[in-house]
């Protein structure tokens, strides 16, 4: 369906804006598709008017050098924060002022850990709070901090105007409604957007086959599947560089510590690359490979940018955000985008489905354990000498902490949490539990588990059904048709066998040499299992990771073996795999 308007400023009235900014109770949710000018609206219609000089015409300029109200703009990604800061600087130049005093642009993460007290003060002192990319509060619940941030902002909304913006409201609306919150919603999805400029292809072709079919003068952005490690992204980039393509890659600018907690440290080179991408609004190579770290805040304005390839994506919010990186020239009807949704003829979506189910069951297991032990834990805490004068709330907090520690004191639970990527700090997070529930809702219609009863179904019907279900998803999300492109089953099977043999011959030993002696755990261990299982073909069955025994049987003829250990890392036992050369072991 062709949209009637292009930008939010064409449909949001001054009366709407007045109600939002005068509102002292509740908050507003603005829903507008990607590329429809939410950032421009914030700058032009909210921030700039607060710099207007009431004494203009009496010897003073149109704008003063400070905003009449303190405005706090918050966002979820580094790229979004960089873009907003850039937009604010440009607005200052246009207004003829040196610096935008009383305007603060910050990430949500700062509220939770880095500069915690400073940011809480910013929220308290702000007179207007603008929350961009509001889907963050559920979509990023894996970081364990979104609930605390949301509670602080909702508390502030009782006293001052708070406006949430998002292009993908599915999860956040459910969240607000489940909490019984009252708010005003302005939804412009039916009248705004550029869906008519998009063509969709659903396929089981792998990335290389898709790239080969695209003109080398047309630029491509590839979004890899969730849980693809940074190292694997770098290796993908190197692979295509060796094949003669111009390729670069992007991921989060933040250092990833072993405990998974945000520490505020940046990777200088990646921070510079992302900053340049935000500033230039284009990439110079033909291909850019990225993960979801840049699915928000990056506006690519480039007529040569013609393709977005989504590899094994299932999260509807992420799909819409990733597709939204393209910015269209409204004056050029030939400025179009082709979106490829590919399963790569791989079982990754089935693996994700199994993982989500297992994660949900693990949380249920903890909740049962808590139910059975919380009362005795409270009783035990009350009789401790130092706790006699503590309130019921304080006793409950101590008991909850004891129950969590007790549950994770059992080796079987620690190992299960490692394998499932459910961190100790997330086990009681309601937001994280909701995220898993929403992800299951998203992935279930794509993965047809009822077809997975036989070996034959796994290799044929199941993988084809997912591609067809992608077609249905495109219709649901974008109201657009999608064409199907198949790899012939028999030819694909024979090609896969030849590909596995060639990969083993050319890449397996160099890959194992590169990892020799390195401790693999958490994401690195999972990435290794997936690559050996599916890229090199060690798995006996589509949709399943090879076991440790099978992997060893697969790599031993090539002179390597996995040594599995469970050392204590950061005061917790972790399963660690170490790739060792057999000759080295023999000498020992």
């Amino acid at each position: 369906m062709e949209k009637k308007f292009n930008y939010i400023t064409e449909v949001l009235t001054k009366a709407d804006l007045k109600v939002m900014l005068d509102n002292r109770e509740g908050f507003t949710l603005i829903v507008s598709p990607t590329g429809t000018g939410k950032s421009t609206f914030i700058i032009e219609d909210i921030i700039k008017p607060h710099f207007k000089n009431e004494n203009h015409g009496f010897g003073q300029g149109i704008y003063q050098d400070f905003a009449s109200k303190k405005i706090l703009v918050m966002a979820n990604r580094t790229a979004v924060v960089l873009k907003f800061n850039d937009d604010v600087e440009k607005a200052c130049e246009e207004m003829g002022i040196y610096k935008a005093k009383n305007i603060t642009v910050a990430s949500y993460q700062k509220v939770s850990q880095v500069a915690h007290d400073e940011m809480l003060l910013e929220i308290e002192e702000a007179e207007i709070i603008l929350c961009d990319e509001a889907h963050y509060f559920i979509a990023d619940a894996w970081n364990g901090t979104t609930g605390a941030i949301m509670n602080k902002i909702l508390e502030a909304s009782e006293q001052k105007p708070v406006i949430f913006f998002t292009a993908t409201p599915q999860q956040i609306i459910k969240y607000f409604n489940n909490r019984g919150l009252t708010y005003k919603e302005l939804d412009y999805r039916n009248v705004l957007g550029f869906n008519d400029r998009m063509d969709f292809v659903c396929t089981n072709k792998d990335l290389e086959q898709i790239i080969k079919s695209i003109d080398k003068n047309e630029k491509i952005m590839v979004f890899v599947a969730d849980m693809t490690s940074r190292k694997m992204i770098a290796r993908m980039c190197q692979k295509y560089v060796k094949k003669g393509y111009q390729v670069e890659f992007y991921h989060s600018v933040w250092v990833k510590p072993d405990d998974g907690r945000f520490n505020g440290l940046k990777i200088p080179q990646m921070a510079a690359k992302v900053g340049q991408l935000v500033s230039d609004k284009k990439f110079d190579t033909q291909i850019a490979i990225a993960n979801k770290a840049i699915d928000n805040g990056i506006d690519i304005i480039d007529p040569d940018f013609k393709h977005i390839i989504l590899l094994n994506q299932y999260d509807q919010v992420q799909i819409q955000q990733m597709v939204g990186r393209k910015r269209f020239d409204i004056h050029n009807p030939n400025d179009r985008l082709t979106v490829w949704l590919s399963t790569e003829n791989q079982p990754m979506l089935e693996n994700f489905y199994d993982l989500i189910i297992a994660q949900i069951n693990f949380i249920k297991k903890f909740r049962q354990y808590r139910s059975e032990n919380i009362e005795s834990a409270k009783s035990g805490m009350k009789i401790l000498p130092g706790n006699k004068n503590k309130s019921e709330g304080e006793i409950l907090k101590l008991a909850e902490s004891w129950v969590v520690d007790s549950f994770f004191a059992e080796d079987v639970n620690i190992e299960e949490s490692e394998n499932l990527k459910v961190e100790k700090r997330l086990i009681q997070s309601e937001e994280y539990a909701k995220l898993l529930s929403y992800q299951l809702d998203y992935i279930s219609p794509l993965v047809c588990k009822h077809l997975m009863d036989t070996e034959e179904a796994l290799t044929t019907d199941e993988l084809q059904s997912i591609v067809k279900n992608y077609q249905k998803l495109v219709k649901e999300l974008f109201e657009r048709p999608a064409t199907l492109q198949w790899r012939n089953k028999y030819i694909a099977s024979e090609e896969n066998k030849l590909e596995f043999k060639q990969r083993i011959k050319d890449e397996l030993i160099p890959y194992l040499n590169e990892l020799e002696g390195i401790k693999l755990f958490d994401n690195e261990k999972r990435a290794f299992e997936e690559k050996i299982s599916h890229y090199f073909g060690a798995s006996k069955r589509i949709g399943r990771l090879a076991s440790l025994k099978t992997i060893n049987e697969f790599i031993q003829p090539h002179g390597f073996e996995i040594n599995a250990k469970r050392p204590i890392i950061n005061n917790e036992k972790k399963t660690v795999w170490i790739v060792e050369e057999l000759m080295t072991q023999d000498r020992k």
Side-chain angles (χ1 to χ4, degrees):
M1 180 179 71
E2 186 173 352
K3 306 295 183 177
K4 298 177 183 178
F5 302 98
N6 296 310
Y7 299 115
I8 190 172
T9 48
E10 298 176 82
V11 293
L12 198 152
T13 67
K14 290 183 178 180
D16 289 328
L17 181 59
K18 187 175 187 302
V19 170
M20 287 187 288
L21 295 180
D22 287 346
N23 185 23
R24 297 289 176 178
E25 295 181 5
F27 55 88
T28 303
L29 174 65
I30 295 180
V31 181
S32 186
T34 56
T36 54
K38 292 188 293 293
S39 300
T40 301
F41 166 72
I42 290 172
I43 294 291
E44 297 294 332
D45 290 68
I46 297 180
I47 290 180
K48 269 190 177 181
H50 283 88
F51 282 89
K52 284 191 174 179
N53 195 334
E54 293 181 358
N55 296 319
H56 171 57
F58 295 91
Q60 298 185 25
I62 298 176
Y63 297 102
Q64 56 194 5
D65 62 358
F66 60 91
S68 57
K69 290 185 178 181
K70 290 185 178 181
I71 300 175
L72 174 61
V73 183
M74 306 187 75
N76 63 330
R77 299 273 191 263
T78 302
V80 185
V81 173
L82 288 172
K83 181 180 179 298
F84 259 117
N85 276 319
D86 189 45
D87 290 343
V88 170
E89 286 183 15
K90 288 178 181 176
C92 287
E93 291 175 7
E94 293 169 1
M95 292 186 290
I97 60 178
Y98 172 67
K99 187 177 180 181
K101 296 177 183 176
N102 278 354
I103 305 295
T104 300
V105 181
S107 68
Y108 296 118
Q109 288 86 342
K110 280 192 173 183
V111 183
S112 57
Q113 290 179 5
V114 179
H116 176 271
D117 294 336
E118 175 188 335
M119 286 309 304
L120 291 182
L121 185 62
E122 289 281 0
I123 292 175
E124 289 176 6
E125 292 185 348
E127 294 169 90
I128 298 172
I129 299 176
L130 309 176
C131 300
D132 197 20
E133 311 295 354
H135 53 272
Y136 155 84
F137 291 101
I138 299 300
D140 282 19
W142 48 266
N143 66 26
T145 64
T146 58
I149 303 169
M150 175 60 85
N151 288 337
K152 188 66 183 177
I153 293 172
L154 291 177
E155 181 184 322
S157 73
E158 296 175 4
Q159 306 295 328
K160 62 193 71 174
V162 172
I163 306 174
F164 292 94
F165 298 83
T166 186
T168 48
Q170 299 97 314
Q171 296 173 347
I172 197 67
I173 286 176
K174 287 182 181 178
Y175 177 82
F176 287 152
N177 292 342
N178 286 340
R179 292 189 60 165
L181 300 174
T182 301
Y183 60 97
K184 180 177 182 181
E185 180 183 346
L186 299 175
D187 190 342
Y188 299 112
R189 285 176 291 177
N190 290 332
V191 294
L192 295 177
F194 295 88
N195 291 0
D196 57 308
R197 298 282 192 94
M198 300 179 193
D199 302 302
F200 291 85
V201 180
C202 303
T203 182
N204 63 346
K205 293 181 179 179
D206 64 29
L207 177 59
E208 186 170 352
Q209 291 169 323
I210 296 172
I211 290 174
K212 283 180 179 178
S213 70
I214 294 173
D215 189 309
K216 285 200 171 185
N217 293 316
E218 296 179 351
K219 291 186 178 180
I220 306 163
M221 180 167 278
V222 180
F223 282 101
V224 299
D226 272 2
M227 298 180 71
T228 303
S229 70
R230 298 174 180 185
K231 289 181 181 178
M232 288 192 72
I233 295 173
R235 290 192 194 106
M236 287 176 67
C237 183
Q238 292 169 3
K239 170 186 172 181
Y240 287 103
V241 167
K242 288 178 181 178
K243 291 179 179 291
Y245 294 98
Q246 290 184 315
V247 191
E248 57 189 326
F249 67 92
Y250 298 89
H251 55 63
S252 173
V253 305
W254 302 107
V255 171
K256 189 175 182 181
D258 290 340
D259 63 5
R261 292 180 180 273
F262 180 70
N263 59 17
L265 300 177
K266 290 184 178 181
I267 304 167
Q269 289 179 321
M270 188 54 63
K273 281 179 66 174
V274 172
Q276 194 70 42
L277 186 62
V278 171
S279 175
D280 293 349
K281 302 186 187 309
K282 63 186 295 186
F283 49 92
D284 295 327
T285 56
Q286 186 207 356
I287 304 170
I289 301 175
N291 62 12
K292 66 180 180 181
I294 65 165
D295 66 359
N296 299 167
I298 303 289
D299 298 344
I300 307 297
I301 305 174
D302 184 350
D304 294 330
F305 177 35
K306 299 287 189 182
H307 301 268
I308 288 178
I309 302 174
L310 307 180
L311 302 179
N312 288 289
Q313 300 293 335
Y314 64 89
D315 188 311
Q316 295 178 15
V317 171
Q318 282 181 203
I319 289 172
Q320 289 174 286
Q321 290 292 335
M322 290 168 176
V323 170
R325 296 315 93 215
K326 167 75 175 179
R327 294 296 188 260
F328 295 93
D329 180 352
I330 62 172
H331 304 295
N332 178 11
N334 295 318
D335 187 14
R336 301 186 64 83
L337 176 71
T338 299
V339 180
W340 303 75
L341 294 96
S342 175
T343 65
E344 295 194 281
N345 212 42
Q346 295 291 324
M348 292 188 71
L349 288 176
E350 296 95 317
N351 292 341
F352 286 142
Y353 178 91
D354 291 340
L355 178 62
I356 292 167
I357 290 290
Q359 288 171 331
I360 290 172
N361 287 336
F362 184 69
I363 289 176
K364 288 180 178 177
K365 177 182 176 182
F366 167 77
R367 288 180 174 175
Q368 180 62 33
Y369 181 88
R370 179 196 176 278
S371 175
E372 294 170 356
N373 291 279
I374 189 65
E375 291 303 323
S376 60
K378 285 165 61 178
S379 299
M381 290 298 161
K382 287 178 181 179
I383 63 174
L384 291 176
N387 294 341
K388 290 183 178 179
N389 296 323
K390 283 187 168 54
S391 66
E392 284 295 322
E394 291 171 320
I395 291 294
L396 177 60
K397 189 174 181 180
L398 290 170
E400 295 282 11
S401 178
W402 181 90
V403 168
V404 172
D405 290 340
S406 175
F407 180 78
F408 280 93
E410 298 179 20
D411 283 352
V412 64
N413 291 333
I414 295 175
E415 187 167 2
E416 191 175 357
S417 71
E418 289 174 18
N419 293 333
L420 298 179
K421 309 294 185 295
V422 179
E423 297 178 31
K424 183 177 178 180
R425 62 194 176 91
L426 295 176
I427 198 70
Q428 289 184 296
S429 168
E430 286 299 322
E431 287 74 24
Y432 180 66
K434 286 185 177 70
L435 172 62
L436 292 178
S437 174
Y438 297 151
Q439 287 181 334
L440 184 62
D441 289 343
Y442 291 153
I443 200 168
S444 293
L446 292 174
V447 179
C448 304
K449 282 295 179 178
H450 63 280
L451 296 175
M452 298 179 68
D453 294 334
T454 67
E455 292 283 341
E456 178 63 20
L458 277 167
T459 56
T460 56
D461 300 335
E462 166 66 8
L463 294 179
Q464 288 205 3
S465 294
I466 293 176
V467 176
K468 290 178 180 177
N469 288 336
Y470 264 143
Q471 192 178 40
K472 297 175 185 176
L473 181 62
V474 168
K475 182 68 175 176
E476 178 185 339
L477 294 183
F478 300 98
E479 298 181 331
R480 296 284 292 166
T483 59
L484 298 177
Q485 288 192 13
W486 297 106
R487 275 180 93 187
N488 177 277
K489 297 178 199 174
Y490 175 75
I491 294 175
S493 175
E494 294 303 307
E495 285 178 349
N496 282 340
K497 290 176 184 177
L498 290 174
E499 285 177 12
F500 286 145
K501 288 180 180 179
Q502 197 64 40
R503 288 170 187 168
I504 291 169
K505 178 182 176 183
D506 297 341
E507 302 177 45
L508 180 59
I509 291 178
Y511 175 64
L512 295 172
N513 274 325
E514 184 181 342
L515 294 177
E516 185 183 1
I518 297 175
K519 295 179 179 178
L520 304 176
F521 57 92
D522 294 341
N523 290 339
E524 288 76 16
K525 173 176 168 288
R526 179 85 180 190
F528 174 80
E529 289 177 276
E530 289 182 348
K531 184 151 187 172
I532 293 293
S533 298
H534 306 310
Y535 183 76
F536 289 111
S539 179
K540 304 294 185 185
R541 189 180 181 194
I542 292 177
R544 297 291 183 270
L545 293 175
S547 66
L548 175 60
K549 179 183 177 183
T550 301
I551 289 175
N552 271 332
E553 289 174 352
F554 183 80
I555 66 175
Q556 281 168 351
H558 303 280
F560 291 86
E561 189 171 60
I562 301 300
N563 184 2
K565 298 182 178 180
R566 280 189 57 77
I568 295 176
I569 300 175
N570 295 328
N571 298 319
E572 292 183 6
K573 281 188 176 182
K574 283 185 176 288
T575 300
V576 175
W577 286 8
I578 303 173
V579 178
E580 296 182 350
E581 191 174 0
L582 285 175
M583 289 190 304
T584 303
Q585 291 179 335
D586 291 342
R587 282 199 297 269
K588 289 179 181 178

